[in-house]
Amino acid sequence: MTEQYFICMNRPTITDIARLLQLNPSTVSRALNNHPDVSPETRNRVQELAQELGYAPNQLAVNLRRRHSGLIALLVSEMNMFFNPSVFRAIEQEVYANGYHLIILQSNNTLIREQQNVQICRQLAVEGVLVSLAAEAQALDHFAPLLDQRVPVVFFDRVLTQTHSCSVTIDDVAITRQAIRHLAEKGHWRIGGLFGDPKLNITRERFRGFKQALQELGIPFEERLTAFAQDSEQGSQMAMKMMEQHQISAFFTMSDELMVGAVQAIEQKRLRIPEEIAIIAISDGFAPEFYNPKITHIRHSGFEVGANAARLLLGVIREEIKNPIHVQLDCRLVELGSV
């Protein structure tokens, strides 16, 4: 097997071309870039052999040298069918329309994976990062290497209150209070609450809003009427247990995923919505449409979150935004048939 054939079986490099033509690698590099210091004869020899071997520049190395990769990274805690798809769609549309490509990295809600994903962002020389934090991330120290390299970072949805970067959120306390007040206005005073991972700031804020609303309405808070669940299956189990052990007239769920679990438990109990039990959720608005009756919810649009986060990041990249901006999106009550 000739050396030239062996090289063709692998990814050819500038060093390979230099060895075959008995030239200095720096000369080959200049020839490939049409540098005027290289004679036309040598430039033609180099470029003809490069084409024959199928040589292509290492784009990652080029990007690292130029600090321009055309990549934006999206770091998410998990992939699921609720909320995230509309967030991803909005971000991808904004990013692509502005000449960038999107890569998505998942942490599975673990700090170690999120730290590894930050390292991948550095290795790929991404030009900006959008982050929905992992449940285990209780500080932001692991993002310091990106910020030290002046890589813009925008946090959304799952954030920490002490962030000094741009962020996009909603008022989790206020919208939870609005949901509970709506239930009370409809005559519901025994309200069960289903919440997500208690390590998340978003969960703690919505739980705080739940307790505040009950206090404002003069309804005693009962811890036994609240539960924390990691997914819809666990949420269904918690809702079933709550209905079997306590008399409740309505459920509040802090997410679409938990709403699905609660509805499953209600159906297993053969209770009619809303005649025998009501339900209200904080929702992206997609899942509630699949039920009969449709589920009343506080609309928390994933698409709006994604679009605003992407626009904010692009503004920082273009240096149109100099100081951290914290965007708080409005939510609205969508009254359907479940209350």
Side-chain angles (χ1 to χ4, degrees), residues 137-276:
Q138 299 300 305
L140 301 176
D141 299 349
H142 51 299
F143 290 97
L146 289 173
L147 299 174
D148 289 345
Q149 292 181 341
R150 302 180 66 82
V151 177
V153 179
V154 171
F155 297 91
F156 68 91
D157 197 46
R158 293 182 169 196
V159 305
L160 296 182
T161 54
Q162 70 268 30
T163 178
H164 297 295
S165 296
C166 293
S167 65
V168 177
T169 60
I170 59 173
D171 189 334
D172 293 294
V173 172
I175 67 169
T176 303
R177 288 168 58 208
Q178 183 181 7
I180 303 306
R181 284 198 304 270
H182 182 70
L183 289 175
E185 288 167 1
K186 297 294 184 178
H188 297 284
W189 296 84
R190 294 281 291 174
I191 302 169
L194 287 177
F195 300 88
D197 194 323
K199 294 192 294 294
L200 289 167
N201 187 64
I202 190 173
T203 300
R204 294 192 292 266
E205 288 295 281
R206 293 180 185 184
F207 186 72
R208 184 160 69 92
F210 182 83
K211 294 177 70 174
Q212 278 188 16
L214 294 180
Q215 184 178 24
E216 291 165 0
L217 293 164
I219 303 174
F221 169 72
E222 299 180 64
E223 192 167 349
R224 60 186 179 172
L225 298 186
T226 61
F228 297 88
Q230 300 291 336
D231 52 35
S232 60
E233 182 179 357
Q234 192 175 27
S236 180
Q237 294 169 358
M238 295 294 186
M240 180 67 74
K241 181 178 179 181
M242 209 178 294
M243 288 186 291
E244 289 175 344
Q245 296 182 353
H246 310 288
Q247 186 176 5
I248 63 173
S249 68
F251 273 114
F252 162 78
T253 68
M254 68 161 271
S255 68
D256 277 317
E257 189 167 13
L258 297 178
M259 177 197 74
V260 170
V263 172
Q264 288 175 343
I266 291 169
E267 290 176 345
Q268 287 177 28
K269 290 284 288 183
R270 300 185 182 278
L271 296 176
R272 292 172 300 156
I273 300 173
E275 292 84 359
E276 296 175 288

Side-chain angles (χ1 to χ4, degrees), residues 182 186 294-297 332-339:
H182 182 70
K186 297 294 184 178
K294 297 177 181 179
I295 307 298
T296 294
H297 58 279
R332 62 185 177 88
L333 173 67
V334 180
E335 192 169 359
L336 298 174
S338 67
V339 179

Side-chain angles (χ1 to χ4, degrees), residues 8 17 32 53 58 92 102 105 113 125 134 140 145-146 194 226 241 243 245 253 256 274 282 293 323:
C8 287
I17 296 171
L32 290 169
L53 295 177
N58 185 329
E92 199 278 335
L102 184 69
L105 301 169
R113 283 284 296 276
L140 301 176
L146 289 173
L194 287 177
T226 61
K241 181 178 179 181
M243 288 186 291
Q245 296 182 353
T253 68
D256 277 317
I282 298 175
N323 299 308

Side-chain angles (χ1 to χ4, degrees), residues 41-61:
E41 180 186 359
T42 300
R43 186 164 61 245
N44 289 337
R45 288 174 60 211
V46 169
Q47 293 182 358
E48 285 175 3
L49 181 59
Q51 185 175 3
E52 181 184 341
L53 295 177
Y55 168 80
N58 185 329
Q59 196 58 49
L60 178 57

